[in-house]
Amino acid sequence: MFQIDNSTAATAQPAPTSPGTPGFFTDGNPLTGVAPTIVPAEFLNAVMLEMCNIVTGAGLTLSKASFTQLRDSIKRICQKTVVLTDTGSVNTYVATNSPALSASDLVSGLLQQVSIRSANTGAATYSPDGLSAARSTASHCSHCKAESCRLAVLLF
């Protein structure tokens, strides 16, 4: 993956055009008068920059000679496990993400690891980033008594 670098490439990203109606590409059909989709540079720039940002966001360097950078970047990003620090109290887990989650991020299946501060004595809630508390399920957590214990919190 690399950013276009030939002699006809623009030196600055052109200003975006106004949004149109979302649609799909077509090869067209000359028999019915349907024109093929014109693929504008703006679209190609968006795709290129999205992919470049995945690669560089994973800490890799863009390279013309590698054709596995996007795959390698996604694997690296998925392997990063951030263990959050619990700042709550008994059965009330609180943690801060960076960047912070928003309410729309609290979906079924969100999995986070939190280093537990207090003993888990019963049903627990989890409030990431000051959002409303959600009931949580913790893996292997009925014995959590030490700060070194890790808890996988599943919001649902």
Side-chain angles (χ1 to χ4, degrees):
M1 180 73 234
F2 67 97
Q3 194 164 339
I4 190 78
D5 62 357
N6 65 26
S7 63
T8 60
T11 57
Q13 184 176 359
T17 59
S18 298
T21 303
F24 300 93
F25 295 101
T26 178
D27 293 329
N29 184 337
L31 297 177
T32 60
V34 174
T37 304
I38 297 171
V39 181
E42 179 179 41
F43 174 80
L44 296 173
N45 285 330
V47 172
M48 174 187 65
L49 290 174
E50 289 285 350
M51 290 191 290
C52 287
N53 286 332
I54 292 170
V55 173
T56 58
L60 300 178
T61 302
L62 297 172
S63 168
K64 286 184 174 183
S66 175
F67 301 102
T68 61
Q69 293 173 91
L70 193 58
R71 181 205 64 197
D72 295 345
S73 298
I74 293 169
K75 286 172 71 174
R76 180 180 276 190
I77 290 167
C78 290
Q79 289 172 346
K80 289 183 180 179
T81 301
V82 176
V83 179
L84 303 172
T85 301
D86 174 27
T87 58
S89 57
V90 175
N91 302 331
T92 306
Y93 307 124
V94 177
T96 302
N97 291 276
S98 180
L101 297 176
S102 66
S104 64
D105 294 320
L106 301 182
V107 296
S108 178
L110 174 66
L111 181 67
Q112 296 197 301
Q113 288 192 8
V114 181
S115 179
I116 301 307
R117 176 179 175 176
S118 303
N120 179 25
T121 61
T125 60
Y126 179 48
S127 300
D129 306 309
L131 298 170
S132 297
R135 196 174 63 170
S136 64
T137 301
S139 64
H140 66 279
C141 196
S142 59
H143 65 281
C144 285
K145 307 242 186 261
E147 289 184 21
S148 62
C149 181
R150 288 188 176 181
L151 162 72
V153 177
L154 178 63
L155 299 178
F156 53 97

